[in-house]
Amino acid sequence: MERSLFLTQRLTAMALGPLVLVHLGLILFAVKGGLTAEEILLRTQGSVGWALFYGAFVVMASIHGPIGLRNVLREWTDLTTGLINFVTAGFGFLLLFVGIRAVLAVTQTATQISG
Amino acid sequence: MSLDKSVVNVSFLEVKVWRGKDDGELVSYQVPGRENQTVLDVVSEIQRSHEPSLAYRYACRVGVCGSCAMTVNGMPKWTCRTHVKKVMDDGVLTIEPLRNLPRIKDLVCDLSPFIDTWQQAGAPFCGTKTRHEAPANIDPESKARKAADAGLQCINCAVCYSACDVVSWNKDYIGPAGLNRAWTLVNDARHGERQSTFDKAFGSGGCGSCHSQGNCTRHCPIGLSPSESIAGLKKSALFGLPKV
Ligand code: SF4
Ligand code: SF4
Ligand code: FES
Protein backbone atom coordinates (compact mmCIF):
# COMPACT_ATOMS: atom_id res chain seq x y z
CA MET A 1 0.00 0.00 0.00
CA GLU A 2 2.87 2.40 0.83
CA ARG A 3 4.22 1.99 -2.65
CA SER A 4 0.85 2.66 -4.30
CA LEU A 5 0.29 5.73 -2.14
CA PHE A 6 3.80 6.97 -2.94
CA LEU A 7 3.20 6.53 -6.68
CA THR A 8 -0.28 8.04 -6.53
CA GLN A 9 1.06 11.08 -4.71
CA ARG A 10 3.80 11.58 -7.34
CA LEU A 11 1.48 11.06 -10.30
CA THR A 12 -1.18 13.42 -8.95
CA ALA A 13 1.60 15.97 -8.33
CA MET A 14 2.58 15.64 -11.98
CA ALA A 15 -0.99 16.26 -13.03
CA LEU A 16 -1.40 19.16 -10.60
CA GLY A 17 1.72 20.93 -11.93
CA PRO A 18 0.21 22.09 -15.25
CA LEU A 19 -3.24 22.56 -13.68
CA VAL A 20 -1.80 24.98 -11.14
CA LEU A 21 0.14 26.85 -13.82
CA VAL A 22 -2.94 27.31 -16.00
CA HIS A 23 -4.93 28.39 -12.95
CA LEU A 24 -2.26 30.95 -11.97
CA GLY A 25 -1.98 32.16 -15.55
CA LEU A 26 -5.73 32.61 -15.65
CA ILE A 27 -5.70 34.63 -12.44
CA LEU A 28 -3.01 36.96 -13.82
CA PHE A 29 -4.97 37.35 -17.02
CA ALA A 30 -8.31 37.79 -15.29
CA VAL A 31 -7.32 40.44 -12.73
CA LYS A 32 -6.15 42.80 -15.43
CA GLY A 33 -8.78 45.46 -15.50
CA GLY A 34 -10.31 44.46 -12.18
CA LEU A 35 -12.03 41.38 -10.94
CA THR A 36 -15.76 41.01 -10.52
CA ALA A 37 -17.97 38.06 -9.76
CA GLU A 38 -19.92 38.66 -12.95
CA GLU A 39 -16.80 38.49 -15.02
CA ILE A 40 -15.73 35.20 -13.49
CA LEU A 41 -19.13 33.65 -13.77
CA LEU A 42 -19.52 34.78 -17.36
CA ARG A 43 -16.40 32.85 -18.18
CA THR A 44 -17.24 29.72 -16.25
CA GLN A 45 -21.00 29.31 -16.40
CA GLY A 46 -22.10 26.78 -18.94
CA SER A 47 -18.52 25.98 -19.87
CA VAL A 48 -17.87 22.25 -20.09
CA GLY A 49 -14.16 22.96 -20.56
CA TRP A 50 -13.76 24.85 -17.28
CA ALA A 51 -15.97 22.32 -15.51
CA LEU A 52 -13.65 19.53 -16.63
CA PHE A 53 -10.53 21.56 -15.87
CA TYR A 54 -11.51 22.48 -12.32
CA GLY A 55 -13.16 19.08 -11.81
CA ALA A 56 -9.81 17.42 -12.58
CA PHE A 57 -8.10 19.93 -10.30
CA VAL A 58 -10.40 19.05 -7.41
CA VAL A 59 -10.05 15.31 -7.90
CA MET A 60 -6.24 15.46 -8.08
CA ALA A 61 -5.97 17.78 -5.08
CA SER A 62 -8.29 15.68 -2.96
CA ILE A 63 -6.14 12.61 -3.62
CA HIS A 64 -2.76 14.34 -3.39
CA GLY A 65 -3.37 16.43 -0.27
CA PRO A 66 -4.57 13.68 2.08
CA ILE A 67 -1.61 11.42 1.24
CA GLY A 68 0.77 14.22 2.22
CA LEU A 69 -1.27 14.95 5.33
CA ARG A 70 -1.07 11.23 6.21
CA ASN A 71 2.73 11.38 6.00
CA VAL A 72 2.87 14.46 8.20
CA LEU A 73 0.55 12.95 10.81
CA ARG A 74 2.55 9.71 10.86
CA GLU A 75 5.75 11.61 11.48
CA TRP A 76 4.48 14.16 13.93
CA THR A 77 1.82 12.42 16.00
CA ASP A 78 1.51 9.21 17.97
CA LEU A 79 -1.87 8.36 16.46
CA THR A 80 -2.22 4.82 15.15
CA THR A 81 -1.89 4.28 11.42
CA GLY A 82 -5.47 3.01 11.30
CA LEU A 83 -6.83 6.21 12.79
CA ILE A 84 -4.62 8.35 10.56
CA ASN A 85 -5.83 6.47 7.48
CA PHE A 86 -9.43 7.02 8.56
CA VAL A 87 -8.98 10.73 9.29
CA THR A 88 -7.06 11.51 6.12
CA ALA A 89 -9.46 9.51 3.92
CA GLY A 90 -12.27 11.53 5.51
CA PHE A 91 -10.38 14.72 4.75
CA GLY A 92 -10.00 13.58 1.13
CA PHE A 93 -13.76 13.01 0.77
CA LEU A 94 -14.48 16.38 2.35
CA LEU A 95 -12.17 18.11 -0.15
CA LEU A 96 -13.80 16.21 -2.98
CA PHE A 97 -17.30 17.14 -1.80
CA VAL A 98 -16.71 20.86 -1.25
CA GLY A 99 -14.53 21.07 -4.35
CA ILE A 100 -17.02 19.47 -6.70
CA ARG A 101 -19.81 21.51 -5.14
CA ALA A 102 -17.84 24.72 -5.83
CA VAL A 103 -17.07 23.66 -9.41
CA LEU A 104 -20.73 22.91 -10.06
CA ALA A 105 -21.75 26.22 -8.51
CA VAL A 106 -19.61 28.27 -10.87
CA THR A 107 -20.03 26.24 -14.03
CA GLN A 108 -23.71 25.34 -14.04
CA THR A 109 -25.78 27.56 -16.25
CA ALA A 110 -27.59 29.95 -13.98
CA THR A 111 -30.83 31.63 -14.85
CA GLN A 112 -29.81 34.76 -13.06
CA ILE A 113 -26.57 36.25 -11.82
CA SER A 114 -27.32 37.98 -8.59
CA GLY A 115 -25.61 41.15 -7.44
CA MET B 1 63.10 11.97 32.81
CA SER B 2 62.34 12.96 29.26
CA LEU B 3 59.45 15.30 28.72
CA ASP B 4 56.75 14.56 26.23
CA LYS B 5 57.47 17.51 23.92
CA SER B 6 54.01 17.43 22.40
CA VAL B 7 52.48 18.57 25.68
CA VAL B 8 54.99 21.25 26.60
CA ASN B 9 53.59 24.79 26.35
CA VAL B 10 50.30 23.57 25.05
CA SER B 11 46.94 24.95 25.81
CA PHE B 12 44.35 22.67 27.31
CA LEU B 13 41.19 21.70 25.57
CA GLU B 14 37.90 22.08 27.36
CA VAL B 15 36.13 18.78 26.75
CA LYS B 16 32.56 18.11 27.85
CA VAL B 17 31.63 14.46 27.91
CA TRP B 18 28.19 12.92 28.47
CA ARG B 19 28.22 10.78 31.62
CA GLY B 20 25.39 8.48 32.60
CA LYS B 21 22.38 7.28 30.65
CA ASP B 22 19.35 9.37 29.62
CA ASP B 23 19.30 11.42 32.78
CA GLY B 24 23.06 11.94 32.85
CA GLU B 25 24.94 15.21 32.42
CA LEU B 26 27.87 16.77 30.62
CA VAL B 27 31.05 16.67 32.69
CA SER B 28 34.02 18.90 31.84
CA TYR B 29 37.60 17.70 31.59
CA GLN B 30 40.80 19.51 30.73
CA VAL B 31 42.83 17.61 28.18
CA PRO B 32 46.17 18.77 26.75
CA GLY B 33 45.80 19.91 23.16
CA ARG B 34 48.24 18.20 20.82
CA GLU B 35 49.38 18.88 17.32
CA ASN B 36 47.82 15.74 15.93
CA GLN B 37 44.88 14.48 17.88
CA THR B 38 41.64 12.74 17.02
CA VAL B 39 38.45 12.93 19.04
CA LEU B 40 38.92 9.27 19.94
CA ASP B 41 42.41 10.11 21.26
CA VAL B 42 40.81 12.70 23.52
CA VAL B 43 38.18 10.26 24.79
CA SER B 44 40.87 7.61 25.42
CA GLU B 45 43.01 10.15 27.27
CA ILE B 46 40.09 11.06 29.52
CA GLN B 47 39.39 7.41 30.23
CA ARG B 48 43.04 6.65 31.00
CA SER B 49 43.94 9.75 32.99
CA HIS B 50 40.74 11.07 34.52
CA GLU B 51 37.83 8.70 34.46
CA PRO B 52 38.62 4.97 34.33
CA SER B 53 34.92 4.12 34.35
CA LEU B 54 34.12 6.10 31.19
CA ALA B 55 32.31 3.80 28.73
CA TYR B 56 32.95 4.18 25.01
CA ARG B 57 33.44 1.91 22.02
CA TYR B 58 36.13 1.50 19.44
CA ALA B 59 38.10 -1.29 17.81
CA CYS B 60 40.20 -0.58 14.74
CA ARG B 61 41.10 3.13 15.23
CA VAL B 62 41.60 3.44 11.47
CA GLY B 63 38.10 3.92 10.09
CA VAL B 64 37.26 0.34 9.23
CA CYS B 65 35.11 -1.18 11.95
CA GLY B 66 32.51 1.58 12.35
CA SER B 67 32.25 1.20 16.13
CA CYS B 68 33.54 4.57 17.36
CA ALA B 69 30.77 6.90 16.18
CA MET B 70 29.65 9.61 18.62
CA THR B 71 28.03 13.02 18.50
CA VAL B 72 30.79 15.61 18.43
CA ASN B 73 29.77 19.26 18.83
CA GLY B 74 26.30 18.30 17.71
CA MET B 75 27.32 16.31 14.63
CA PRO B 76 27.56 12.53 14.24
CA LYS B 77 31.21 11.62 13.50
CA TRP B 78 33.51 8.62 13.32
CA THR B 79 35.76 9.75 16.13
CA CYS B 80 38.89 7.79 15.21
CA ARG B 81 39.20 9.72 11.95
CA THR B 82 37.96 13.09 13.15
CA HIS B 83 40.69 15.56 13.99
CA VAL B 84 40.01 17.74 16.96
CA LYS B 85 41.15 20.88 15.13
CA LYS B 86 38.52 20.40 12.44
CA VAL B 87 35.58 20.20 14.84
CA MET B 88 36.66 22.48 17.68
CA ASP B 89 34.05 25.11 18.43
CA ASP B 90 35.45 28.13 20.34
CA GLY B 91 37.94 25.91 22.11
CA VAL B 92 35.24 23.55 23.38
CA LEU B 93 34.65 19.95 22.39
CA THR B 94 31.32 18.41 23.41
CA ILE B 95 31.11 14.65 23.05
CA GLU B 96 27.81 12.80 23.42
CA PRO B 97 26.43 9.42 22.37
CA LEU B 98 24.82 9.02 18.93
CA ARG B 99 21.29 10.32 18.48
CA ASN B 100 18.28 8.10 17.63
CA LEU B 101 19.56 5.07 19.56
CA PRO B 102 18.88 3.91 23.13
CA ARG B 103 21.69 4.90 25.46
CA ILE B 104 23.47 2.32 27.58
CA LYS B 105 26.11 4.27 29.47
CA ASP B 106 28.17 7.39 28.80
CA LEU B 107 29.10 7.31 25.11
CA VAL B 108 27.82 3.82 24.35
CA CYS B 109 24.51 3.22 22.58
CA ASP B 110 22.55 0.07 21.94
CA LEU B 111 22.86 -0.49 18.19
CA SER B 112 20.19 -3.21 17.98
CA PRO B 113 17.42 -0.99 16.55
CA PHE B 114 19.85 0.11 13.84
CA ILE B 115 20.89 -3.46 13.02
CA ASP B 116 17.23 -4.54 13.01
CA THR B 117 16.46 -2.04 10.26
CA TRP B 118 18.71 -4.02 7.93
CA GLN B 119 16.44 -7.04 8.36
CA GLN B 120 13.41 -4.83 7.91
CA ALA B 121 14.89 -3.60 4.62
CA GLY B 122 15.31 -7.16 3.33
CA ALA B 123 19.06 -6.78 3.51
CA PRO B 124 20.42 -10.34 3.94
CA PHE B 125 22.04 -11.58 0.74
CA CYS B 126 20.38 -14.66 -0.70
CA GLY B 127 22.56 -16.58 -3.15
CA THR B 128 21.11 -18.81 -5.85
CA LYS B 129 24.10 -20.96 -6.77
CA THR B 130 25.78 -23.82 -5.00
CA ARG B 131 29.52 -24.14 -4.59
CA HIS B 132 29.54 -26.67 -7.43
CA GLU B 133 28.30 -24.18 -9.98
CA ALA B 134 30.44 -21.64 -11.77
CA PRO B 135 30.28 -18.13 -10.24
CA ALA B 136 27.99 -15.66 -11.96
CA ASN B 137 29.52 -13.67 -14.75
CA ILE B 138 29.01 -10.04 -13.79
CA ASP B 139 30.01 -7.16 -16.02
CA PRO B 140 31.70 -4.66 -13.68
CA GLU B 141 30.85 -1.87 -16.13
CA SER B 142 27.11 -2.52 -16.20
CA LYS B 143 24.87 0.23 -14.83
CA ALA B 144 23.37 -2.01 -12.15
CA ARG B 145 26.74 -3.28 -10.95
CA LYS B 146 28.06 0.26 -10.71
CA ALA B 147 25.01 1.27 -8.68
CA ALA B 148 25.56 -1.69 -6.34
CA ASP B 149 29.28 -0.99 -6.01
CA ALA B 150 28.63 2.64 -5.13
CA GLY B 151 26.91 1.67 -1.90
CA LEU B 152 28.86 -1.40 -0.88
CA GLN B 153 31.55 -0.03 1.39
CA CYS B 154 29.26 0.79 4.31
CA ILE B 155 30.96 0.17 7.65
CA ASN B 156 27.69 0.11 9.67
CA CYS B 157 28.74 3.04 11.80
CA ALA B 158 25.16 4.37 12.22
CA VAL B 159 26.33 7.95 11.61
CA CYS B 160 23.70 8.40 8.89
CA TYR B 161 21.02 6.83 11.09
CA SER B 162 21.89 9.31 13.80
CA ALA B 163 21.89 12.23 11.33
CA CYS B 164 18.45 11.42 9.90
CA ASP B 165 15.59 13.54 11.25
CA VAL B 166 12.95 11.18 9.87
CA VAL B 167 14.42 8.39 12.02
CA SER B 168 14.02 10.63 15.06
CA TRP B 169 10.37 11.35 14.21
CA ASN B 170 9.26 7.97 12.93
CA LYS B 171 10.51 4.96 14.83
CA ASP B 172 9.28 2.63 12.06
CA TYR B 173 11.50 4.24 9.45
CA ILE B 174 14.21 1.92 8.15
CA GLY B 175 16.64 4.78 7.73
CA PRO B 176 19.44 5.48 5.29
CA ALA B 177 21.88 2.62 5.88
CA GLY B 178 19.34 -0.21 5.62
CA LEU B 179 17.81 1.31 2.49
CA ASN B 180 21.23 1.87 0.98
CA ARG B 181 21.97 -1.80 1.57
CA ALA B 182 18.63 -2.79 0.01
CA TRP B 183 19.49 -0.76 -3.11
CA THR B 184 22.82 -2.57 -3.52
CA LEU B 185 20.95 -5.91 -3.39
CA VAL B 186 18.23 -4.81 -5.80
CA ASN B 187 21.08 -4.12 -8.24
CA ASP B 188 22.89 -7.37 -7.57
CA ALA B 189 22.25 -10.02 -10.24
CA ARG B 190 23.39 -12.75 -7.84
CA HIS B 191 20.78 -11.89 -5.20
CA GLY B 192 17.88 -14.33 -5.40
CA GLU B 193 15.34 -12.12 -3.59
CA ARG B 194 15.53 -8.85 -5.49
CA GLN B 195 11.77 -8.33 -5.68
CA SER B 196 11.21 -9.20 -2.05
CA THR B 197 14.04 -6.91 -0.92
CA PHE B 198 12.50 -4.14 -3.00
CA ASP B 199 9.04 -4.78 -1.54
CA LYS B 200 10.41 -4.63 1.99
CA ALA B 201 12.38 -1.46 1.28
CA PHE B 202 9.12 0.06 0.05
CA GLY B 203 6.94 -1.32 2.82
CA SER B 204 5.68 0.51 5.88
CA GLY B 205 8.53 2.66 7.21
CA GLY B 206 10.33 2.23 3.91
CA CYS B 207 11.86 4.65 1.45
CA GLY B 208 8.57 6.49 0.81
CA SER B 209 9.15 8.24 4.15
CA CYS B 210 12.50 9.75 3.13
CA HIS B 211 12.51 13.54 2.70
CA SER B 212 15.45 13.40 0.28
CA GLN B 213 17.33 16.25 1.93
CA GLY B 214 20.51 14.25 2.19
CA ASN B 215 21.65 14.75 5.77
CA CYS B 216 22.72 11.10 5.71
CA THR B 217 24.90 11.67 2.66
CA ARG B 218 26.36 14.83 4.13
CA HIS B 219 27.56 12.98 7.22
CA CYS B 220 28.51 9.54 5.91
CA PRO B 221 32.20 9.41 6.83
CA ILE B 222 33.22 7.31 3.88
CA GLY B 223 31.34 9.32 1.30
CA LEU B 224 28.51 6.97 0.43
CA SER B 225 25.25 8.48 -0.72
CA PRO B 226 22.32 6.72 0.93
CA SER B 227 20.00 9.45 -0.33
CA GLU B 228 20.95 8.61 -3.91
CA SER B 229 20.29 4.93 -3.24
CA ILE B 230 16.89 5.83 -1.82
CA ALA B 231 16.18 7.95 -4.91
CA GLY B 232 17.03 4.85 -6.99
CA LEU B 233 14.52 2.77 -5.03
CA LYS B 234 11.86 5.45 -5.46
CA LYS B 235 12.46 5.61 -9.21
CA SER B 236 12.14 1.84 -9.42
CA ALA B 237 8.64 2.12 -7.95
CA LEU B 238 7.66 3.90 -11.16
CA PHE B 239 9.88 2.26 -13.75
CA GLY B 240 10.34 -1.24 -12.33
CA LEU B 241 13.44 -2.93 -10.91
CA PRO B 242 16.75 -2.06 -12.56
CA LYS B 243 17.96 -4.45 -15.24
CA VAL B 244 20.78 -6.63 -13.98
S1 SF4 C 1 17.76 11.90 2.81
FE1 SF4 C 1 16.26 10.48 3.69
S2 SF4 C 1 17.46 8.94 4.76
FE2 SF4 C 1 18.85 10.67 4.33
S3 SF4 C 1 18.77 11.92 6.20
FE3 SF4 C 1 17.20 12.72 4.82
S4 SF4 C 1 15.29 11.62 5.35
FE4 SF4 C 1 17.02 10.50 6.28
S1 SF4 D 1 26.01 4.55 4.97
FE1 SF4 D 1 27.84 5.65 5.69
S2 SF4 D 1 27.16 6.67 7.57
FE2 SF4 D 1 25.62 5.11 7.11
S3 SF4 D 1 26.25 3.34 8.32
FE3 SF4 D 1 27.15 3.10 6.27
S4 SF4 D 1 29.17 4.03 6.42
FE4 SF4 D 1 28.05 4.70 8.21
S1 FES E 1 37.46 2.68 15.69
FE1 FES E 1 37.00 1.52 13.91
S2 FES E 1 36.03 3.05 12.64
FE2 FES E 1 36.68 4.21 14.34
Side-chain angles (χ1 to χ4, degrees):
Chain A
M1 169 156 115
E2 297 304 322
R3 188 176 156 200
S4 327
L5 286 176
F6 174 84
L7 275 182
T8 310
Q9 196 189 20
R10 267 46 182 193
L11 293 174
T12 48
M14 269 166 64
L16 279 167
L19 293 174
V20 168
L21 286 181
V22 171
H23 177 63
L24 287 178
L26 178 69
I27 293 176
L28 291 179
F29 167 78
V31 290
K32 278 191 185 160
L35 194 62
T36 63
E38 283 88 345
E39 218 187 324
I40 295 174
L41 290 174
L42 269 180
R43 189 168 44 245
T44 56
Q45 275 181 339
S47 160
V48 179
W50 284 123
L52 288 178
F53 177 86
Y54 280 110
F57 204 126
V58 164
V59 171
M60 293 302 153
S62 48
I63 297 173
H64 181 85
I67 300 177
L69 184 65
R70 176 177 180 268
N71 291 342
V72 173
L73 290 178
R74 277 176 24 129
E75 260 171 34
W76 286 86
T77 69
D78 288 331
L79 303 177
T80 62
T81 305
L83 182 60
I84 290 175
N85 287 346
F86 181 76
V87 168
T88 51
F91 178 63
F93 283 116
L94 180 70
L95 282 185
L96 192 65
F97 173 72
V98 295
I100 293 293
R101 197 167 156 259
V103 171
L104 289 177
V106 294
T107 56
Q108 268 171 348
T109 323
T111 44
Q112 174 78 48
I113 300 170
S114 62
Chain B
M1 194 183 95
S2 71
L3 279 175
D4 179 352
K5 290 214 177 64
S6 66
V7 289
V8 173
N9 293 334
V10 289
S11 54
F12 280 77
L13 311 171
E14 156 101 2
V15 187
K16 294 184 185 165
V17 177
W18 185 262
R19 300 297 322 273
K21 207 177 169 187
D22 296 322
D23 50 359
E25 55 174 351
L26 287 169
V27 178
S28 286
Y29 302 93
Q30 303 284 321
V31 179
R34 298 174 199 276
E35 195 40 42
N36 230 333
Q37 190 176 31
T38 65
V39 174
L40 184 63
D41 291 336
V42 168
V43 175
S44 298
E45 183 148 359
I46 293 172
Q47 193 264 334
R48 284 178 196 166
S49 317
H50 301 265
E51 201 67 76
S53 67
L54 178 67
Y56 66 112
R57 253 198 212 114
Y58 74 94
C60 70
R61 298 200 300 164
V62 288
V64 174
C65 70
S67 61
C68 65
M70 300 168 200
T71 304
V72 182
N73 282 351
M75 307 271 195
K77 298 273 184 198
W78 55 351
T79 55
C80 69
R81 299 282 304 267
T82 301
H83 280 264
V84 168
K85 277 186 192 155
K86 296 225 167 112
V87 285
M88 210 56 175
D89 188 9
D90 266 347
V92 182
L93 199 59
T94 305
I95 309 175
E96 296 162 280
L98 282 181
R99 196 169 71 125
N100 295 342
L101 289 161
R103 295 175 174 187
I104 296 177
K105 178 176 187 282
D106 303 338
L107 301 171
V108 177
C109 290
D110 177 5
L111 287 170
S112 334
F114 170 65
I115 304 296
D116 290 346
T117 63
W118 290 55
Q119 301 294 327
Q120 192 188 340
F125 176 77
C126 178
T128 49
K129 296 201 180 221
T130 68
R131 66 176 65 189
H132 306 296
E133 290 169 84
N137 204 355
I138 307 284
D139 175 8
E141 294 304 317
S142 71
K143 199 170 165 228
R145 191 61 233 169
K146 282 186 169 165
D149 286 345
L152 268 190
Q153 303 297 333
C154 174
I155 57 172
N156 309 0
C157 63
V159 160
C160 55
Y161 191 78
S162 172
C164 177
D165 279 340
V166 177
V167 170
S168 67
W169 297 324
N170 179 356
K171 286 295 159 230
D172 296 333
Y173 180 43
I174 295 173
L179 292 170
N180 176 68
R181 165 73 180 166
W183 178 238
T184 64
L185 287 176
V186 163
N187 280 286
D188 190 339
R190 301 162 310 145
H191 179 49
E193 304 277 343
R194 291 174 61 234
Q195 184 65 47
S196 135
T197 299
F198 177 72
D199 292 343
K200 285 189 182 146
F202 233 111
S204 181
C207 57
S209 308
C210 169
H211 287 202
S212 311
Q213 286 188 327
N215 221 20
C216 48
T217 301
R218 183 165 162 232
H219 287 93
C220 175
I222 52 175
L224 301 190
S225 179
S227 49
E228 216 173 297
S229 300
I230 294 168
L233 286 167
K234 286 177 174 174
K235 262 188 230 151
S236 308
L238 195 56
F239 301 112
L241 293 195
K243 285 204 177 55
V244 291

